[in-house]
Amino acid sequence: MKKKIKTLFKIKYVLLVLTIILLGSIVLTYARGGNLSTYKNGIVSIFSPVRNAVAGIRNAINNSAEEKKSKEELKAENEELRTENEKLKSIIEKYQTDIYELQELKSLLDLSGEYSAYGTVAANVIGKNTGNWIYEFTIDKGSDDGIEMYMNVVADGGLAGLVTDVGKNYSVVTSILADDMNVAGISSTTRDSCIVSGDLELLEEGRIRIMYVHGDADIKDYDRIVTSTTSNRYLPHILIGYAHDITMDNNELTKSGYLVPAVDFQHLEYVMVIKHVKGKNKE
Amino acid sequence: MLRFFLSLILIALCTLFQGSVISMIPYINSTPNLLLIVTFSIGILRGRDEGLLYGLLCGIAMDLVSGGYLGFYALFYMYLGFGCGFLHQLFDVDVPLVAVILTILSEILYHLYVFLFRFVIRGRLSISSYISSIILPEMIFTIAFAILLYGIIVAMNIALEKYEQRSALKFV
């Protein structure tokens, strides 16, 4: 009996010490803005090659499924692709003229916020959603490839998220769908500003929330919402998604609604990390 | 020592499976919480001390692969392992129903913990929709995996106990 009490006391002591350490760690990482790279690097870096291999296997499976297509299917597909190719060529022609026009207009406006100027790193998505509450994913590039905290991540030409943790050869990206993510946005047509906020409730519908739109603002359905210059984390003029169902709030002062993200998060495999942290190296 | 290394490998495999492999399997659209299963299994099979240790390790693994605050999951898993340790030797462990009931209980605690400290704290209070969209799907998949994984851990425990008895006899 005495021994039993003694062991209970001992383990309680251990529990207390560990609790204090863990609470300290939470506070410490909270104070540092969630950056844990220095603690985490050693252990998780070992995991990353394995996770790479797993992602490789997934790609191999996808490829082998492709190879199994029959000759007829391939012929039909070839035909289809050719006609599509022609179509796309003509579209490109059109776009090229548009781009020249755009460049001219941009130089007039002196918009140097285009992210292509910063250089990008392509990365594979090697892990998704360890838990179901916070929507985040892991990519196979880390500090070795020049990735830093709070770099913007884009995919399919739209904003996918923000690097929230960097390891040696991996990083964790919190997507804009995550419930605690907020992005300052602006409508590209009407220049009305808004806040795009992730919302777990809407995750299944594939949309997120738009809030704090000025009551007089005239954002219509399918208006492009891009990142605003006022955002302290996101580079300006990256497409976030398309507005939907913007209605007046009960307070008659602000409007809110929904946003359909430009990125297809269900089938996210490759992403681009923009190698620039906003607010750093301002020259 | 063998037990420790095997448990480490188990935790590493579960972390990998939970973080990378599950999302590749079709029809599984909610990530089952394998580390939760490992934590309560070891807690109930081995008691408070080991429940605490392996719960802590599972929690740290969870913290490491997700981008949140280091220690957030570790704190919960540690207490869960410790708490399940109190159930040690209270009832027959090799019944699958034990795994199901423990999964439901620990999932409820886990979700309550995350909900309170990551959602209520920011004023997001719509628990009913979270229950239907997050908690229930995860619970169903976790129960399905729990029956399998719990079986594996019980079998591993029996094999290890035999091995430990044999090697203890050798020294005598």
Side-chain angles (χ1 to χ4, degrees):
Chain A
M1 192 65 198
K2 217 174 178 183
K3 204 181 167 191
K4 213 175 175 186
I5 292 167
K6 210 176 169 188
T7 52
L8 190 69
F9 173 74
K10 246 187 189 168
I11 188 132
K12 269 189 176 165
Y13 191 66
V14 171
L15 194 68
L16 189 72
V17 171
L18 282 173
T19 306
I20 292 166
I21 290 173
L22 289 176
L23 280 177
S25 164
I26 293 172
V27 171
L28 204 70
T29 45
Y30 180 75
R32 291 177 49 161
N35 187 359
L36 338 160
S37 47
T38 38
Y39 309 95
K40 283 172 127 186
N41 244 332
I43 310 166
V44 189
S45 303
I46 310 163
F47 261 122
S48 197
V50 187
R51 299 177 92 178
N52 271 334
V54 171
I57 292 167
R58 178 187 61 200
N59 291 343
I61 292 169
N62 286 350
N63 288 342
S64 70
E66 296 264 295
E67 275 168 18
K68 276 180 189 149
K69 277 186 184 167
S70 72
K71 225 175 182 179
E72 284 82 39
E73 275 180 320
L74 285 175
K75 261 186 186 167
E77 201 178 309
N78 195 13
E79 198 75 12
E80 219 173 273
L81 288 174
R82 260 185 205 168
T83 49
E84 200 182 325
N85 194 15
E86 290 304 313
K87 245 189 248 167
L88 291 174
K89 266 184 191 164
S90 66
I91 293 173
I92 285 175
E93 288 292 322
K94 190 180 157 287
Y95 279 151
Q96 235 141 23
T97 51
D98 283 354
I99 285 171
Y100 285 127
E101 211 179 303
L102 185 73
Q103 274 170 347
E104 261 172 50
L105 289 170
K106 262 194 182 154
S107 61
L108 283 175
L109 277 167
D110 197 25
L111 280 179
S112 51
E114 191 67 59
Y115 61 79
S116 53
Y118 298 124
T120 52
V121 187
N124 289 312
V125 175
I126 56 169
K128 275 181 199 168
N129 282 30
T130 326
N132 293 310
W133 285 92
I134 299 295
Y135 198 97
E136 53 197 9
F137 54 89
T138 314
I139 56 175
D140 66 345
K141 297 283 159 67
S143 55
D144 281 358
D145 307 280
I147 289 176
E148 289 171 40
M149 278 291 276
Y150 305 128
M151 278 182 174
N152 295 182
V153 179
V154 291
D156 312 334
L159 183 68
L162 196 64
V163 174
T164 47
D165 189 21
V166 186
K168 213 167 132 56
N169 51 7
Y170 78 97
S171 7
V172 177
V173 181
T174 306
S175 86
I176 52 167
L177 302 184
D179 201 84
D180 49 0
M181 288 291 265
N182 293 302
V183 188
I186 188 167
S187 159
S188 67
T189 47
T190 60
R191 297 276 145 204
D192 292 315
S193 62
C194 59
I195 298 288
V196 177
S197 169
D199 195 322
L200 203 61
E201 276 184 79
L202 300 172
L203 195 61
E204 264 183 17
E205 301 166 36
R207 348 187 252 182
I208 49 182
R209 229 175 256 284
I210 294 180
M211 298 190 299
Y212 307 119
V213 183
H214 195 272
D216 299 334
D218 185 29
I219 300 183
K220 292 189 186 67
D221 278 6
Y222 310 115
D223 269 5
R224 289 159 55 94
I225 305 291
V226 298
T227 49
S228 159
T229 42
T230 56
S231 171
N232 57 349
R233 290 260 188 265
Y234 297 94
L235 303 168
H237 312 303
I238 304 173
L239 177 66
I240 310 172
Y242 305 93
H244 206 261
D245 283 347
I246 306 281
T247 48
M248 187 66 95
D249 287 338
N250 288 336
N251 58 17
E252 297 285 330
L253 290 170
T254 56
K255 286 179 174 178
S256 62
Y258 305 99
L259 177 128
V260 181
V263 181
D264 179 8
F265 285 99
Q266 285 288 321
H267 306 103
L268 204 58
E269 271 182 42
Y270 308 103
V271 295
M272 298 275 263
V273 184
I274 303 167
K275 285 175 89 172
H276 181 79
V277 180
K278 194 169 183 183
K280 214 176 164 188
N281 312 322
K282 270 194 172 156
E283 66 269 39
Chain B
M1 217 54 210
L2 183 69
R3 181 184 287 278
F4 182 70
F5 282 120
L6 277 181
S7 305
L8 273 192
I9 291 169
L10 183 75
I11 291 170
L13 279 178
C14 284
T15 314
L16 190 66
F17 202 73
Q18 194 172 337
S20 294
V21 183
I22 293 272
S23 59
M24 289 160 47
I25 306 174
Y27 305 115
I28 298 187
N29 44 22
S30 183
T31 313
N33 204 332
L34 302 182
L35 290 169
L36 201 72
I37 305 170
V38 175
T39 304
F40 74 67
S41 306
I42 293 179
I44 193 169
L45 288 173
R46 302 293 303 168
R48 283 189 296 265
D49 301 23
E50 284 185 44
L52 185 141
L53 170 66
Y54 295 113
L56 180 70
L57 290 177
C58 285
I60 290 174
M62 188 86 173
D63 274 325
L64 291 177
V65 291
S66 55
Y69 307 120
L70 187 71
F72 179 75
Y73 289 117
L75 196 64
F76 174 77
Y77 280 72
M78 182 178 78
Y79 274 98
L80 181 75
F82 180 73
C84 285
F86 282 96
L87 304 174
H88 178 49
Q89 285 178 344
L90 270 189
F91 44 88
D92 233 353
V93 286
D94 42 0
V95 188
L97 192 66
V98 172
V100 175
I101 293 168
L102 276 177
T103 308
I104 293 171
L105 287 179
S106 45
E107 277 274 304
I108 289 171
L109 287 175
Y110 165 78
H111 287 300
L112 209 61
Y113 177 71
V114 178
F115 176 65
L116 275 179
F117 291 106
R118 292 193 90 150
F119 287 79
V120 172
I121 230 168
R122 289 180 296 115
R124 300 260 166 127
L125 303 169
S126 46
I127 184 136
S128 55
S129 82
Y130 296 147
I131 286 176
S132 62
S133 65
I134 308 277
I135 300 176
L136 280 182
E138 185 179 323
M139 202 179 273
I140 290 164
F141 282 111
T142 311
I143 289 171
F145 275 88
I147 296 168
L148 189 74
L149 190 58
Y150 185 74
I152 293 172
I153 294 171
V154 169
M156 196 177 106
N157 187 41
I158 292 169
L160 276 171
E161 265 166 11
K162 266 187 193 157
Y163 172 82
E164 277 160 9
Q165 270 171 9
R166 229 183 301 148
S167 51
L169 279 177
K170 260 184 208 163
F171 281 112
V172 173

